Amino acid sequence: MNVNWMEEVKKREKVLLQDLQTFLRIPSVRNEQTATKEAPLGKEVYEALCYMLKRGEEEGFVVKNVDGLAGHIEMGDGEEIVGVLCHVDVVPAGDGWTFDPFGATIVDGKIYARGALDDKGPTIAAFYAMKIVKELGLPLSKRVRMIIGTDEESDWQCVERYFQTESMPTLGFAPDADFPIIYAEKGIVDFDLIQQPMNKKADDCVLLSFQAGRRYNMVPDFAEAVLRNGNDIKDRFLTFLRSHTLEGEVHVDGETLKLSIRGVSAHGMEPNNGVNAGLWLTKFLVDEALDPQAAEFVRFVSQYFHGDTRGQQLGVAHTNEELGDLTINVGVLSYTSEHGGKIGINLRYPVTSDITRTKEAIERVANRHHFTLTNFSHSSPHYVAKDHPLVQTLQRVYEEQTGERASLLAIGGGTYARSLQAGVAFGPLFPNRPDVAHQKDEYMFIDDLVKATAIYAQAIYELAK
């Protein structure tokens, strides 16, 4: 059947944008403080899930809510299922936005909001793609199921719970990365390094607290340290900021001194795209006269992680021709004089790296400096063969819609595609567009959103016809 997919999207562009703005204005950051039995990851995330399920019902799709952690929107009949994996949760907004991060402001052909690119914009694009196929009455031999997660940016509880009771799609894609097609993804590990407490008197403490970062998969854009009897540090800190072209502040309150640094947030899959405020603050503190426990904390962090996102100092560096380097993002740093330090790390590795040996090597280094590796969470590398029908169909669709070659990509990011036995990441970021996911002033070009919707509509039809 000959369908002008772009024309069909253009007919619906106005209402698509209205739906997206409403969706983006829900601040769906995971928040256990507002959690209930109905909304296990917080009321805002649950509100976003319910918004999509309600829109699905309104359009005549079959919908299902799976314990408030996930859901699906489905059309068609048949034994086989084409899966489209999306998520409604977003990372925290962070600081320094020009626009309201949950305002969904449209300026100069872009829509600005946390989640515009990752992953609410693509979710609405995929939803409208399904809507177009349904409204055109195109014959399908398979079911098409949009699976909606609520915890992609954290622990993936959503898809874990979902697939305990629901069917695994035969094949599918996740609109949550780059075009043309991502067929391979690095393995992803989150873990903590916990400092072993040291015996000391309370009046020995110089560093009272240190805090940087909110999520393991984000580069911290703000760090703060509180010190006692540190007034003589003020001038040295201001000189440090100037010499390294950093933004920061000093606040004196009686006998305490508060130091802060502002960095640049970025996705943890490539820490070098950001400026890690926490690591810069430890670099400054490493030359100050701190109490032994604090000195060990900042010395360890600075020595093994500052300026080294590839694990060279830890002795775990590895690279692969297709997937690139092993990367290490220090996403969370915290310290209190009572409990010592904690380092929260997001590590991504190519399939040719032995994660067991990597873990053992990090443990050996950590133990020498009185740190313990714990809370090790692991997702294996993901790969779909280049000649798989899924890959070949999506390549053809992309080339027909764009007129450009659909090259195959391998990435350090982790998408919901790895939840499927045969799944790839498919857009929405077009080649040569800046990747502003997880950054301040996140946006998506409206023209790109429209083009992606047309691509997804044809892809859904071709895979399910």
Side-chain angles (χ1 to χ4, degrees), residues 383-394:
Y383 172 86
V384 177
K386 294 179 180 180
D387 60 356
H388 192 285
L390 169 67
V391 174
Q392 295 190 332
T393 299
L394 296 183

Side-chain angles (χ1 to χ4, degrees), residues 81 100 156 259 449 457:
I81 301 172
D100 178 353
W156 290 33
L259 310 177
L449 184 69

Side-chain angles (χ1 to χ4, degrees), residues 91 97 110 112-119 122 153 175-179 182 217 219 264-274 348 409-415 425 427-445 448:
V91 296
W97 283 65
K110 303 172 187 173
Y112 288 87
R114 176 59 84 223
L117 186 62
D118 181 16
D119 186 48
E153 299 292 2
D176 187 20
D178 296 355
F179 281 125
I182 293 168
N217 64 347
V219 176
V264 177
S265 179
H267 197 295
M269 69 178 176
E270 181 41 273
N272 290 343
N273 288 340
R348 297 168 187 247
L409 308 174
I411 64 163
T415 74
L429 191 67
F430 286 95
N432 302 316
R433 291 296 202 197
D435 185 355
V436 292
H438 294 206
Q439 297 185 26
K440 65 181 180 181
D441 289 337
E442 178 182 345
Y443 66 85
M444 188 169 184
F445 284 98
D448 289 357

Side-chain angles (χ1 to χ4, degrees), residues 23-91:
F23 191 30
L24 288 169
R25 286 168 182 155
I26 303 170
S28 51
V29 179
R30 173 176 166 169
N31 182 5
E32 279 90 348
Q33 292 181 343
T34 63
T36 63
K37 183 176 181 181
E38 181 184 56
L41 299 178
K43 70 181 183 69
E44 293 87 357
V45 168
Y46 185 67
E47 182 184 349
L49 173 64
C50 290
Y51 175 79
M52 287 306 304
L53 296 179
K54 182 171 181 287
R55 285 295 292 117
E57 271 188 323
E58 291 169 349
E59 296 297 337
F61 295 108
V62 175
V63 305
K64 184 171 185 179
N65 183 332
V66 180
D67 299 335
L69 284 168
H72 69 233
I73 298 170
E74 184 177 279
M75 68 178 181
D77 297 296
E79 289 295 314
E80 296 185 62
I81 301 172
V82 175
V84 183
L85 272 69
C86 305
H87 65 94
V88 300
D89 60 308
V90 298
V91 296

Side-chain angles (χ1 to χ4, degrees), residues 265-286:
S265 179
H267 197 295
M269 69 178 176
E270 181 41 273
N272 290 343
N273 288 340
V275 176
N276 194 314
L279 296 183
W280 276 107
L281 190 49
T282 62
K283 182 172 175 59
F284 169 74
L285 291 172
V286 79

Side-chain angles (χ1 to χ4, degrees), residues 232-376:
D232 59 328
I233 294 176
K234 179 178 178 180
D235 290 340
R236 291 195 294 276
F237 183 65
L238 293 174
T239 300
F240 177 84
L241 293 177
R242 286 192 297 271
S243 64
H244 294 287
T245 322
L246 294 167
E247 294 183 24
E249 295 176 353
V250 181
H251 179 72
V252 180
D253 183 9
E255 291 188 351
T256 63
L257 184 75
K258 186 180 292 184
L259 310 177
S260 64
I261 289 180
R262 283 184 292 277
V264 177
S265 179
H267 197 295
M269 69 178 176
E270 181 41 273
N272 290 343
N273 288 340
V275 176
N276 194 314
L279 296 183
W280 276 107
L281 190 49
T282 62
K283 182 172 175 59
F284 169 74
L285 291 172
V286 79
D287 292 325
E288 297 301 316
L290 304 178
D291 53 278
Q293 178 172 273
E296 181 77 353
F297 172 71
V298 298
R299 186 165 54 240
F300 178 73
V301 173
S302 186
Q303 177 180 345
Y304 288 97
F305 302 105
H306 183 267
D308 181 7
T309 62
R310 268 41 185 181
Q312 298 280 356
Q313 292 297 318
L314 289 169
V316 297
H318 183 89
T319 192
N320 170 272
E321 185 176 348
E322 287 186 295
L323 279 163
D325 297 336
L326 176 151
T327 61
I328 292 178
N329 180 58
V330 178
V332 178
L333 286 166
S334 64
Y335 176 92
T336 64
S337 55
E338 295 83 8
H339 301 108
K342 171 185 169 181
I343 308 164
I345 292 174
N346 178 257
L347 182 150
R348 297 168 187 247
Y349 69 95
V351 67
T352 48
S353 176
D354 185 331
I355 191 58
T356 301
R357 291 185 178 181
T358 298
K359 179 186 178 186
E360 291 170 352
I362 294 172
E363 282 183 309
R364 286 194 295 271
V365 174
N367 291 342
R368 289 203 302 268
H369 295 272
H370 310 291
F371 282 80
T372 302
L373 191 154
T374 187
N375 300 326
F376 190 86

